[in-house]
Amino acid sequence: NAGVTQTPKFRILKIGQSMTLQCAQDMNHNYMYWYRQDPGMGLKLIYYSVGAGITDKGEVPNGYNVSRSTTEDFPLRLELAAPSQTSVYFCASKPLGGGAGDTQYFGPGTRLTVL
Amino acid sequence: KQEVTQIPAALSVPEGENLVLNCSFTDSAIYNLQWFRQDPGKGLTSLLLIQSSQREQTSGRLNASLDKSSGRSTLYIAASQPGDSATYLCAVNPSGAGSYQLTFGKGTKLSVIP
């Protein structure tokens, strides 16, 4: 299994441009999450999904959009990029059920700079 | 709103020392608590998960404890090694949140000096 994969690894955007960060998982996990991590800070939840076709906002959703048309993929769309969106973006997934299965599995991240 | 605090923000120890990392949270109504490790430029790796009904979990040289009533958790690392150098993040999962969202602390950056 490849686990959680993210593309691209790095990207530089100009103010006002748009882009999509890709996230895919091959573990058949129901839950998927997008976080951002600013320097010296913990991770903040942007959006999450509890299954295909179901998404909801997290703590910092402004300026982002998501969709979940399949179990495997959970792309994050940035519209009209702003310097405040400069960050490292992590995608994570989690299987259905509790106990040890509550662990979230993280991708390697996408480092985005908006100039 | 749940807030998670980790102290210290950074820690440097000589190889072989035992050490403790601290995590506190403001709302004791949690479903579970997790400790993650993050290496520079990499994603997060789950180390230990403690359910709200548990007091501790152990994995190798790592031991995590949970005192839900006081809103505290500690991560104990025995006989530290240079390979333990990383940032350690604590995250709580609130009770009743079917989405299993996590609230993270800012992390403790650990350096183990050979």
Side-chain angles (χ1 to χ4, degrees), chain A residues 33 37 45 48 59 99 102, chain B residues 1 31-32 38 51 99 101:
Chain A
Y33 307 84
Q37 185 179 34
L45 183 66
Y48 65 94
E59 184 182 357
D102 278 345
Chain B
K1 177 186 172 185
Y31 182 68
N32 61 40
Q38 184 175 27
Q51 300 292 355
S99 61
Q101 299 179 45

Side-chain angles (χ1 to χ4, degrees), chain B residues 13-34:
Chain B
V13 300
E15 182 177 1
E17 269 204 8
N18 303 326
L19 60 100
V20 174
L21 306 181
N22 296 292
C23 171
S24 62
F25 46 95
T26 54
D27 186 346
S28 62
I30 65 169
Y31 182 68
N32 61 40
L33 181 145
Q34 297 183 56

Side-chain angles (χ1 to χ4, degrees), chain A residues 31 33 35 37 40-43 45 48 50 58-59 90 94 97-100 102-104 106-108 111, chain B residues 1 31-32 34 36 38 41-46 49 51 89 93 98-107:
Chain A
Y31 298 89
Y33 307 84
Y35 296 92
Q37 185 179 34
M41 304 294 287
L43 279 71
L45 183 66
Y48 65 94
V50 301
E59 184 182 357
F90 290 101
K94 192 191 86 65
D102 278 345
T103 299
Q104 292 191 16
F106 282 77
R111 187 175 297 273
Chain B
K1 177 186 172 185
Y31 182 68
N32 61 40
Q34 297 183 56
F36 291 88
Q38 184 175 27
K42 301 287 179 63
L44 280 68
T45 301
S46 180
L49 182 151
Q51 300 292 355
L89 294 162
N93 183 349
S99 61
Y100 300 97
Q101 299 179 45
L102 294 177
T103 300
F104 283 84
K106 295 181 181 180

